Amino acid sequence: MSSANAGGAPEPVTPPAPASRKSVTGTRKAVAVLFLLPALVLLGALVLYPIGYSLFRSFFDKSGDFTAFDNYETLFTDDGIRTAIKNNAIWLVVAPTVATALGLIFAVLTERVRWGTAFKLVIFMPMAISMLAAGIIFRLVYESDPDRGVANAVMVSVHDTFAESSAFPQGHPSTNSPLRSAGGGAFVTREPVRAGTPVVLPLTGVPPGDMPDDAEAARPARADPDRVTGTAWQDFTRGKGRGEANAPDATEFGYAGITVEAVKDGEVVASTQAKADGTFALPKEADGALLRYPASNFREAYNGIDWLGPTLITPAIIGSYLWMWAGFAMVLIAAGLASVPRELLEAARVDGANEWQVFRRVTVPLLAPVLAVVLVTLMINVLKIFDLVFVIPPGSSKDEANVLAVQLYNSAFGDRDAGVASAIAVLLFLLVIPVMLFNIRRMRREGQR
């Protein structure tokens, strides 16, 4: 007997070793790994391998020669790529912020209208459209021709309601015309006019298709001893040698509605508008005056805004993005708003807060977690925006609308430069990481509450 047993102490008992280790759920780890293996293989093949290969390929040039960090230097020296980086920064700041703000406004307002559900459906419906289809739609919406583009059709309609456009923007006197330039776009007769002697005020330059619809064949004015009469018309006849200069012909059209003024010593003493056949008559006060076509007759017609031009192309594309994604933000925020305790809102109102104060001091702070989710989701989304920027801009504005995802496509498939394309992909990946880390930290904090 050992000394330990002699002292009466019991011998330690060694527990038997388990047959196999199990996870906390009671599942053998080997079985768990076996079930996770297909997912891990797909994750490696579809995510980890492309990331690793893109990083590796970014250190080689177009022909496959090792260039170290030359491709990354190109990202910040090439004008096209720098424009793409600048536009991505604009997208990152403007689009998620405005879309979240619009979603918040729509969500709050739809709670107060009778047909809130129908309104939400209409706002959310663009999400059912693909980005490619939305790009085609807005390419047509932004057409510069008001007869085709909805945006400019609205702009022209509003403009013409307050300031009517001229029907003769290209009108001007011919070489031997009795009219001369008066400056500022106006034209005036070379000599004073007299009552009883018909006046001719010929112009050219207006395309036949742009003549007023009610224009009729021009005819000479009748002499009237008590009035100054004359004819305003398009002094041009198709065909060489046809028609007589400075005299109305049957094949020529009158300038229906054009304004004619009588001017003495710089003062307008009489004014009138020509009839459909171009004839007009001024009172006897016009005797001895100069007749003038005011510049308002030749003001360029308002054709709206050049939405697809280099200046506005990025804001225009962001507008189409907001049309699609404001509904997404509204639905998420409305779901969060439905969980806000109504007694808190009522308590604020009882304490004397107005609706704006309730919204700013109570509603928005309570919705802060939801607003953060929407904002971060949209930030990740705009960093890889491609479809709208690829479809909407015309060829003349593509460089100004460029973003990193489009530049990646152009470098890879247009320039056949896989090195620069891979460097752009790595840059996009690095830009997404901070946003993802912020989102992960926020989700962990939410889970600890």
PDB file of all heavy atoms in Angstrom, residues 11 110 119 132 147 154 163-164 189 236 238 286 290 363 384 436:
ATOM      1  N   GLU A  11      -7.651   7.831  -3.843  1.00  0.00           N
ATOM      2  CA  GLU A  11      -6.899   7.976  -5.091  1.00  0.00           C
ATOM      3  C   GLU A  11      -7.732   8.759  -6.110  1.00  0.00           C
ATOM      4  O   GLU A  11      -8.956   8.588  -6.205  1.00  0.00           O
ATOM      5  CB  GLU A  11      -6.570   6.584  -5.666  1.00  0.00           C
ATOM      6  CG  GLU A  11      -5.566   5.816  -4.833  1.00  0.00           C
ATOM      7  CD  GLU A  11      -5.216   4.536  -5.514  1.00  0.00           C
ATOM      8  OE1 GLU A  11      -5.762   4.280  -6.630  1.00  0.00           O
ATOM      9  OE2 GLU A  11      -4.407   3.783  -4.974  1.00  0.00           O
ATOM     10  N   THR A 110     -46.988  59.926 -45.205  1.00  0.00           N
ATOM     11  CA  THR A 110     -47.976  58.897 -45.548  1.00  0.00           C
ATOM     12  C   THR A 110     -48.760  58.423 -44.335  1.00  0.00           C
ATOM     13  O   THR A 110     -49.819  57.808 -44.483  1.00  0.00           O
ATOM     14  CB  THR A 110     -47.298  57.685 -46.214  1.00  0.00           C
ATOM     15  OG1 THR A 110     -46.183  57.264 -45.419  1.00  0.00           O
ATOM     16  CG2 THR A 110     -46.828  58.032 -47.611  1.00  0.00           C
ATOM     17  N   PHE A 119     -50.198  55.590 -51.786  1.00  0.00           N
ATOM     18  CA  PHE A 119     -49.066  56.476 -52.048  1.00  0.00           C
ATOM     19  C   PHE A 119     -47.747  55.714 -51.897  1.00  0.00           C
ATOM     20  O   PHE A 119     -46.833  55.857 -52.719  1.00  0.00           O
ATOM     21  CB  PHE A 119     -49.113  57.662 -51.087  1.00  0.00           C
ATOM     22  CG  PHE A 119     -48.006  58.654 -51.291  1.00  0.00           C
ATOM     23  CD1 PHE A 119     -48.086  59.602 -52.294  1.00  0.00           C
ATOM     24  CD2 PHE A 119     -46.878  58.629 -50.481  1.00  0.00           C
ATOM     25  CE1 PHE A 119     -47.067  60.519 -52.489  1.00  0.00           C
ATOM     26  CE2 PHE A 119     -45.859  59.541 -50.660  1.00  0.00           C
ATOM     27  CZ  PHE A 119     -45.955  60.491 -51.674  1.00  0.00           C
ATOM     28  N   LEU A 132     -31.300  48.911 -65.634  1.00  0.00           N
ATOM     29  CA  LEU A 132     -31.110  49.117 -67.065  1.00  0.00           C
ATOM     30  C   LEU A 132     -32.351  49.746 -67.683  1.00  0.00           C
ATOM     31  O   LEU A 132     -32.264  50.714 -68.459  1.00  0.00           O
ATOM     32  CB  LEU A 132     -30.791  47.784 -67.747  1.00  0.00           C
ATOM     33  CG  LEU A 132     -30.582  47.834 -69.260  1.00  0.00           C
ATOM     34  CD1 LEU A 132     -29.377  48.674 -69.595  1.00  0.00           C
ATOM     35  CD2 LEU A 132     -30.421  46.431 -69.825  1.00  0.00           C
ATOM     36  N   ASP A 147     -40.308  68.055 -77.625  1.00  0.00           N
ATOM     37  CA  ASP A 147     -41.323  67.184 -78.207  1.00  0.00           C
ATOM     38  C   ASP A 147     -41.106  65.714 -77.843  1.00  0.00           C
ATOM     39  O   ASP A 147     -42.001  64.892 -78.049  1.00  0.00           O
ATOM     40  CB  ASP A 147     -41.323  67.330 -79.729  1.00  0.00           C
ATOM     41  CG  ASP A 147     -41.764  68.722 -80.165  1.00  0.00           C
ATOM     42  OD1 ASP A 147     -42.536  69.348 -79.416  1.00  0.00           O
ATOM     43  OD2 ASP A 147     -41.326  69.171 -81.239  1.00  0.00           O
ATOM     44  N   VAL A 154     -42.088  69.825 -69.793  1.00  0.00           N
ATOM     45  CA  VAL A 154     -42.644  70.513 -68.619  1.00  0.00           C
ATOM     46  C   VAL A 154     -41.998  71.875 -68.454  1.00  0.00           C
ATOM     47  O   VAL A 154     -42.675  72.882 -68.196  1.00  0.00           O
ATOM     48  CB  VAL A 154     -42.436  69.654 -67.355  1.00  0.00           C
ATOM     49  CG1 VAL A 154     -42.860  70.418 -66.106  1.00  0.00           C
ATOM     50  CG2 VAL A 154     -43.225  68.354 -67.471  1.00  0.00           C
ATOM     51  N   ALA A 163     -43.627  83.647 -70.190  1.00  0.00           N
ATOM     52  CA  ALA A 163     -42.873  84.403 -71.194  1.00  0.00           C
ATOM     53  C   ALA A 163     -42.981  83.665 -72.524  1.00  0.00           C
ATOM     54  O   ALA A 163     -42.295  82.673 -72.752  1.00  0.00           O
ATOM     55  CB  ALA A 163     -41.410  84.547 -70.781  1.00  0.00           C
ATOM     56  N   GLU A 164     -43.858  84.158 -73.378  1.00  0.00           N
ATOM     57  CA  GLU A 164     -44.116  83.479 -74.647  1.00  0.00           C
ATOM     58  C   GLU A 164     -42.894  83.544 -75.556  1.00  0.00           C
ATOM     59  O   GLU A 164     -42.250  84.583 -75.696  1.00  0.00           O
ATOM     60  CB  GLU A 164     -45.307  84.131 -75.343  1.00  0.00           C
ATOM     61  CG  GLU A 164     -45.739  83.408 -76.613  1.00  0.00           C
ATOM     62  CD  GLU A 164     -46.982  84.032 -77.237  1.00  0.00           C
ATOM     63  OE1 GLU A 164     -47.541  84.937 -76.619  1.00  0.00           O
ATOM     64  OE2 GLU A 164     -47.360  83.599 -78.324  1.00  0.00           O
ATOM     65  N   THR A 189     -36.375 100.563 -90.075  1.00  0.00           N
ATOM     66  CA  THR A 189     -36.338 101.029 -91.468  1.00  0.00           C
ATOM     67  C   THR A 189     -35.233 102.075 -91.641  1.00  0.00           C
ATOM     68  O   THR A 189     -34.910 102.821 -90.717  1.00  0.00           O
ATOM     69  CB  THR A 189     -37.682 101.639 -91.886  1.00  0.00           C
ATOM     70  OG1 THR A 189     -38.048 102.670 -90.951  1.00  0.00           O
ATOM     71  CG2 THR A 189     -38.778 100.584 -91.899  1.00  0.00           C
ATOM     72  N   PHE A 236     -38.843  85.143 -99.483  1.00  0.00           N
ATOM     73  CA  PHE A 236     -38.031  84.067-100.043  1.00  0.00           C
ATOM     74  C   PHE A 236     -38.943  83.105-100.775  1.00  0.00           C
ATOM     75  O   PHE A 236     -39.949  82.643-100.234  1.00  0.00           O
ATOM     76  CB  PHE A 236     -37.285  83.322 -98.941  1.00  0.00           C
ATOM     77  CG  PHE A 236     -36.506  82.136 -99.447  1.00  0.00           C
ATOM     78  CD1 PHE A 236     -35.280  82.302-100.056  1.00  0.00           C
ATOM     79  CD2 PHE A 236     -37.012  80.849 -99.324  1.00  0.00           C
ATOM     80  CE1 PHE A 236     -34.566  81.210-100.513  1.00  0.00           C
ATOM     81  CE2 PHE A 236     -36.295  79.753 -99.785  1.00  0.00           C
ATOM     82  CZ  PHE A 236     -35.072  79.931-100.383  1.00  0.00           C
ATOM     83  N   ARG A 238     -38.762  79.474-103.082  1.00  0.00           N
ATOM     84  CA  ARG A 238     -37.903  78.356-103.489  1.00  0.00           C
ATOM     85  C   ARG A 238     -37.725  78.355-105.003  1.00  0.00           C
ATOM     86  O   ARG A 238     -38.656  78.645-105.754  1.00  0.00           O
ATOM     87  CB  ARG A 238     -38.508  77.024-103.052  1.00  0.00           C
ATOM     88  CG  ARG A 238     -38.480  76.819-101.540  1.00  0.00           C
ATOM     89  CD  ARG A 238     -39.045  75.464-101.179  1.00  0.00           C
ATOM     90  NE  ARG A 238     -39.013  75.231 -99.761  1.00  0.00           N
ATOM     91  CZ  ARG A 238     -37.990  74.730 -99.096  1.00  0.00           C
ATOM     92  NH1 ARG A 238     -36.891  74.387 -99.768  1.00  0.00           N
ATOM     93  NH2 ARG A 238     -38.030  74.555 -97.781  1.00  0.00           N
ATOM     94  N   ALA A 286     -47.943 107.571 -86.514  1.00  0.00           N
ATOM     95  CA  ALA A 286     -46.737 106.927 -87.028  1.00  0.00           C
ATOM     96  C   ALA A 286     -46.170 107.642 -88.241  1.00  0.00           C
ATOM     97  O   ALA A 286     -45.073 107.291 -88.703  1.00  0.00           O
ATOM     98  CB  ALA A 286     -47.045 105.469 -87.377  1.00  0.00           C
ATOM     99  N   LEU A 290     -39.838 106.063 -87.798  1.00  0.00           N
ATOM    100  CA  LEU A 290     -39.155 104.874 -88.279  1.00  0.00           C
ATOM    101  C   LEU A 290     -39.908 103.663 -87.777  1.00  0.00           C
ATOM    102  O   LEU A 290     -40.340 103.619 -86.621  1.00  0.00           O
ATOM    103  CB  LEU A 290     -37.713 104.841 -87.777  1.00  0.00           C
ATOM    104  CG  LEU A 290     -36.773 105.952 -88.256  1.00  0.00           C
ATOM    105  CD1 LEU A 290     -35.430 105.833 -87.568  1.00  0.00           C
ATOM    106  CD2 LEU A 290     -36.589 105.906 -89.781  1.00  0.00           C
ATOM    107  N   THR A 363     -39.201  62.064 -33.043  1.00  0.00           N
ATOM    108  CA  THR A 363     -39.302  61.059 -34.111  1.00  0.00           C
ATOM    109  C   THR A 363     -37.940  60.699 -34.689  1.00  0.00           C
ATOM    110  O   THR A 363     -37.584  59.516 -34.787  1.00  0.00           O
ATOM    111  CB  THR A 363     -40.238  61.567 -35.220  1.00  0.00           C
ATOM    112  OG1 THR A 363     -41.503  61.910 -34.661  1.00  0.00           O
ATOM    113  CG2 THR A 363     -40.416  60.504 -36.282  1.00  0.00           C
ATOM    114  N   LYS A 384     -20.940  51.121 -56.017  1.00  0.00           N
ATOM    115  CA  LYS A 384     -20.830  50.233 -57.179  1.00  0.00           C
ATOM    116  C   LYS A 384     -21.875  50.553 -58.246  1.00  0.00           C
ATOM    117  O   LYS A 384     -22.230  49.691 -59.049  1.00  0.00           O
ATOM    118  CB  LYS A 384     -20.952  48.781 -56.738  1.00  0.00           C
ATOM    119  CG  LYS A 384     -22.189  48.458 -55.915  1.00  0.00           C
ATOM    120  CD  LYS A 384     -22.105  47.051 -55.338  1.00  0.00           C
ATOM    121  CE  LYS A 384     -23.322  46.706 -54.498  1.00  0.00           C
ATOM    122  NZ  LYS A 384     -24.541  46.607 -55.274  1.00  0.00           N
ATOM    123  N   MET A 436     -18.627  48.890 -44.397  1.00  0.00           N
ATOM    124  CA  MET A 436     -19.019  47.581 -43.875  1.00  0.00           C
ATOM    125  C   MET A 436     -18.663  47.438 -42.393  1.00  0.00           C
ATOM    126  O   MET A 436     -19.450  46.916 -41.601  1.00  0.00           O
ATOM    127  CB  MET A 436     -18.347  46.477 -44.690  1.00  0.00           C
ATOM    128  CG  MET A 436     -18.831  46.360 -46.127  1.00  0.00           C
ATOM    129  SD  MET A 436     -17.936  45.096 -47.051  1.00  0.00           S
ATOM    130  CE  MET A 436     -18.343  43.651 -46.093  1.00  0.00           C
TER     131      MET A 436
END
